[in-house]
Amino acid sequence: MQIVETSNEGLTRAYTVTIAAADIAARIEGEITKIAPTVRMPGFRPGKVPANLVRKLHGPAIHQEALQTAIREALDRLVVDQGLRPATQPAVALNEGYNQGQDAELAVSLEVLPVIEAPSTDGLKLEKLVVPVTDVEVEEAVARIGQGQKTFTDADAGAAARTGDQIVIDFVGKLDGVAFDGGTAEDAPLELGAGRFIPGFEEQLTGVVAGDEKTITVTFPDDYPAENLKGQSATFDITVKAVKVAGEFVADDDFAKQLGLESIEQLRGLLRGQLEQETAGLTRTQMKRQLLDVLAAGHDFAVPPSMVEAEFEQIWQQLMQEAGNEENPEDALKEIEAEKDDYRRIAERRVRLGLLLSEIGQANGVTISNQEMDMLVRQAAQQYREEDRQRFLEYIRAEPMAAAQLRAPLYEDKVVDFLFDKAEVTTREVTRDELQAAIEADEDGNPAPIAAAAAAEAPAPKKKAAAKKKPAAVEETAAEAPAEAPVVEAAAAEAPAPKKKAAPKKKPATDDAADA
C-alpha cells in the first residue's frame, strides 16, 4: 500500500492511498479457498466444487467484499502510520473507472483533532454559592402538599360560593343552542379560583348558592384542543347542587399519617432533604458555569469546522423547534435568525471546551468503569420498547461512536468533579434568587458553553422573547473517547437506532369541554 499526502492545511488532511491489485487478488483467492468446501453444486460431491466454478458463481460478491475489507484496513493503517486523531469519519472516494485486476486508488480526506496541551489544574479558584434551606421554606412546602390534600365539607345553608370554595354542578354546553359532544357533566366538582376550566367560566359562578340555575356565556381559547370549539362562543346551562368549604389545614402527625409517614417531623425532614438537593443542583450548575468560563478564557485553539457545524445544527434545530412553539412563531424565527452568528460562536466554544475537558480527563486518568457503562446502557435501553431493547444493545456494542456518545455526559461530569476537587473553593451564602441570577447571567462575547453530546442546563446567548428557553438537548461541554476517535460526540454520524417507545398520549385537559 502506498500513501501520499496531498493536502495539509490547518486541521484538514488529504491523502491518496493506493491498494495494489495483487493484494486485492490475494484476498479474493483466500476467500474462495475458505468458502469452497461449503459450496454445494449439482454434479459435485460436497466440498469438491472446483475453485474456478466458485469464482464464476460468486466472484463479483467476493471481489466486492475483499475490496471493502482492503479499504477498511487501508484506512486503519493510514491513521496509525500518519499518527492521526480523526475528528470525523474520513471521506473516501474510489478512483473512477476502477475494475477488478487494477490497483485501487483512494482519495481520502478528513479533519483531525487539534493537539492540545492539558492545562495545569494548579491555582484554580472557584466560588461556590449556596442557598441555606430555611424553616419557612420547609413549612411552605408542607402547606403546598396540604393544598393538594384538602377536603371539603358542605357550607352553611344559603352560603354564597367564594374563591377557594368548591361547588358541585351539572352543566350542559351549547353552540348556537345545540348541545355539543363533551360539553355535558353531572355532579362535577369545581374549585373556584383553581383555574381548571376555560377563562371566564369559574368567575361567573362566584356568589352562587346551592339550588341556583344559571346560564353563562364563555369563549373557548383559540388554542383549545377540540377543533370545533376553538375560538367559539358557547353557553352553559348550570345547576348548582352544592357549595362546599375547604377544611382548615393542620400540619400535624395525623396529616403525615395520611401520606403514609409516621410523623409531621418525618415529612419536614424529607421535604428539607428535597429542597437541599434542589439547591445543591443549582449550586453545581453555577460552579460548573464558572469553571467553564475560566477554561474558555484561558484557551483559544482551532477546532474542526465539521464538529462546529454539527454542534451548530443541533443548537439551531432545537431553537427552530422552540420558536415554533412561541405565541408568534414568525417573530420568534426572525429574532433567532438575527442572532445566528452568536449561536455559531456558541457552537465553536462548546466544541472547544468539549475537547479541552476530554484532554484534561485523559491526562489525569479519568475513566468510565465497565460497571458505570453497563448502567448507562441499561438506563438508555429503558427508553425503547421491550422488543427493541436487544437491538439497541447490539447497536451500542457494534458502534463505538454511539457508545462514546452515550458515555459523554457522565465522563464530562467526572472530569468536572475532578476539577472541583483540585480547585480552591470559597463558599458564600446567597438567596435562591441571587443564585438563579448568577446561573442565568449572560456576558457579551462569553456565552455559556455546551457539550457536543451532553444535556444539562445552560443559557442561550442574549435572552429575548423569541427564545426564552434554552436548548435542552445540547447543553454542557465534554465527551470521552479513545485517542483515535472523535472526542466531542457531535462529530459522530447519526446511525439508525431502534425505534423508541411511543410516548403515552397526553390525557386531554378535561373530559368536559369546559375544562381548561
Side-chain angles (χ1 to χ4, degrees):
M1 185 182 79
Q2 293 182 341
I3 300 174
V4 177
E5 186 177 70
T6 57
S7 179
N8 186 333
E9 297 182 5
L11 298 176
T12 302
R13 305 287 185 273
Y15 301 89
T16 297
V17 179
T18 303
I19 305 173
D23 181 26
I24 299 172
R27 292 174 183 273
I28 293 173
E29 292 306 313
E31 186 63 21
I32 290 174
T33 301
K34 178 180 176 181
I35 70 170
T38 66
V39 174
R40 299 290 185 268
M41 183 179 292
F44 296 92
R45 287 179 297 166
K48 299 299 182 179
V49 180
N52 64 324
L53 288 180
V54 175
R55 186 180 294 105
K56 183 177 181 180
L57 283 172
H58 303 287
I62 293 173
H63 168 254
Q64 188 63 30
E65 183 176 345
L67 179 61
Q68 293 301 321
T69 301
I71 291 174
R72 285 195 298 270
E73 292 183 4
L75 293 178
D76 290 343
R77 181 174 165 186
L78 169 67
V79 168
V80 173
D81 289 356
Q82 300 296 315
L84 303 176
R85 296 177 65 203
T88 57
Q89 294 293 336
V92 182
L94 181 62
N95 59 302
E96 292 185 12
Y98 167 78
N99 290 308
Q100 185 174 348
Q102 299 176 340
D103 291 345
E105 185 175 286
L106 310 175
V108 181
S109 60
L110 71 159
E111 290 178 354
V112 296
L113 296 174
V115 177
I116 308 168
E117 184 176 346
S120 170
T121 58
D122 298 334
L124 180 61
K125 296 182 179 181
L126 299 172
E127 183 180 43
K128 182 179 182 179
L129 304 183
V130 297
V131 179
V133 175
T134 66
D135 292 342
V136 172
E137 290 175 310
V138 173
E139 291 307 314
E140 288 175 347
V142 172
R144 284 194 295 271
I145 295 177
Q147 280 291 106
Q149 300 290 323
K150 69 173 64 173
T151 58
F152 293 90
T153 57
D154 288 333
D156 294 338
R162 300 178 298 177
T163 299
D165 290 346
Q166 183 189 77
I167 59 176
V168 180
I169 59 175
D170 295 343
F171 62 79
V172 178
K174 299 177 181 179
L175 290 176
D176 297 326
V178 179
F180 56 84
D181 291 341
T184 300
E186 294 182 354
D187 296 326
L190 171 61
E191 182 181 348
L192 298 181
R196 287 187 58 240
F197 280 37
I198 60 177
F201 193 100
E202 296 174 17
E203 293 83 346
Q204 296 183 63
L205 296 177
T206 301
V208 298
V209 299
D212 278 355
E213 294 184 357
K214 186 174 184 178
T215 298
I216 64 174
T217 301
V218 295
T219 300
F220 284 92
D222 291 335
D223 60 353
Y224 195 74
E227 289 292 334
N228 64 316
L229 298 178
K230 287 183 177 180
Q232 295 292 318
S233 178
T235 61
F236 283 86
D237 298 334
I238 295 172
T239 300
V240 181
K241 303 178 79 171
V243 175
K244 296 175 178 287
V245 295
E248 183 180 355
F249 168 65
V250 179
D252 56 13
D253 289 344
D254 289 338
F255 171 67
K257 289 175 181 177
Q258 292 176 24
L259 302 175
L261 303 176
E262 294 182 357
S263 67
I264 190 65
E265 288 307 314
Q266 183 184 8
L267 174 60
R268 288 180 177 130
L270 291 172
L271 292 175
R272 183 179 293 276
Q274 291 176 1
L275 291 170
E276 288 174 344
Q277 186 176 16
E278 180 183 344
T279 57
L282 293 174
T283 294
R284 177 181 173 82
T285 298
Q286 169 264 325
M287 285 187 66
K288 186 173 182 179
R289 188 78 40 77
Q290 185 185 168
L291 169 66
L292 297 176
D293 284 344
V294 170
L295 293 176
H299 299 85
D300 185 15
F301 50 84
V303 294
S306 61
M307 296 175 74
V308 174
E309 186 61 28
E311 176 68 9
F312 171 75
E313 284 300 322
Q314 188 177 359
I315 296 171
W316 195 249
Q317 288 302 317
Q318 183 70 28
L319 289 169
M320 295 285 283
Q321 181 179 347
E322 291 179 356
N325 295 329
E326 291 287 341
E327 185 175 344
N328 190 327
E330 187 174 344
D331 286 349
L333 288 171
K334 286 180 180 178
E335 291 201 26
I336 65 170
E337 190 70 39
E339 295 180 330
K340 198 167 188 175
D341 289 343
D342 290 337
Y343 287 110
R344 195 172 292 279
R345 283 191 289 272
I346 289 175
E348 181 176 340
R349 170 181 154 122
R350 290 171 176 175
V351 170
R352 183 175 292 113
L353 281 168
L355 293 171
L356 185 60
L357 281 183
S358 182
E359 197 69 33
I360 292 172
Q362 292 184 39
N364 291 280
V366 179
T367 60
I368 299 293
S369 69
N370 290 336
Q371 285 183 328
E372 290 171 326
M373 190 61 195
D374 288 343
M375 178 188 67
L376 289 174
V377 173
R378 287 197 300 271
Q379 290 175 342
Q382 295 304 311
Q383 302 174 38
Y384 295 81
R385 296 179 305 198
E386 187 171 354
E387 60 269 27
D388 285 335
R389 289 175 189 168
Q390 186 58 39
R391 281 209 304 131
F392 171 76
L393 296 177
E394 293 171 357
Y395 166 69
I396 291 296
R397 284 195 292 265
E399 295 290 342
M401 291 299 294
Q405 190 170 18
L406 186 63
R407 185 174 57 235
L410 177 59
Y411 188 76
E412 174 176 310
D413 282 342
K414 295 189 74 169
V415 176
V416 168
D417 287 338
F418 167 80
L419 292 172
F420 283 169
D421 290 339
K422 292 290 185 180
E424 179 184 332
V425 179
T426 57
T427 300
R428 177 162 62 95
E429 288 190 1
V430 295
T431 65
R432 179 183 288 264
D433 288 344
E434 288 172 332
L435 176 56
Q436 195 67 50
I439 292 172
E440 295 179 352
D442 296 327
E443 299 179 23
D444 291 341
N446 190 27
I450 288 181
E457 288 192 335
K462 289 186 177 180
K463 290 187 179 180
K464 296 195 177 180
K468 293 189 283 290
K469 295 180 180 178
K470 35 279 190 200
V474 283
E475 303 291 339
E476 292 290 341
T477 32
E480 178 203 22
E484 69 274 8
V487 181
V488 180
E489 305 312 328
E494 291 265 349
K499 184 177 180 182
K500 289 190 177 182
K501 294 187 294 186
K505 291 184 178 179
K506 288 185 178 180
K507 182 181 178 182
T510 176
D511 293 331
D512 304 308
D515 238 331

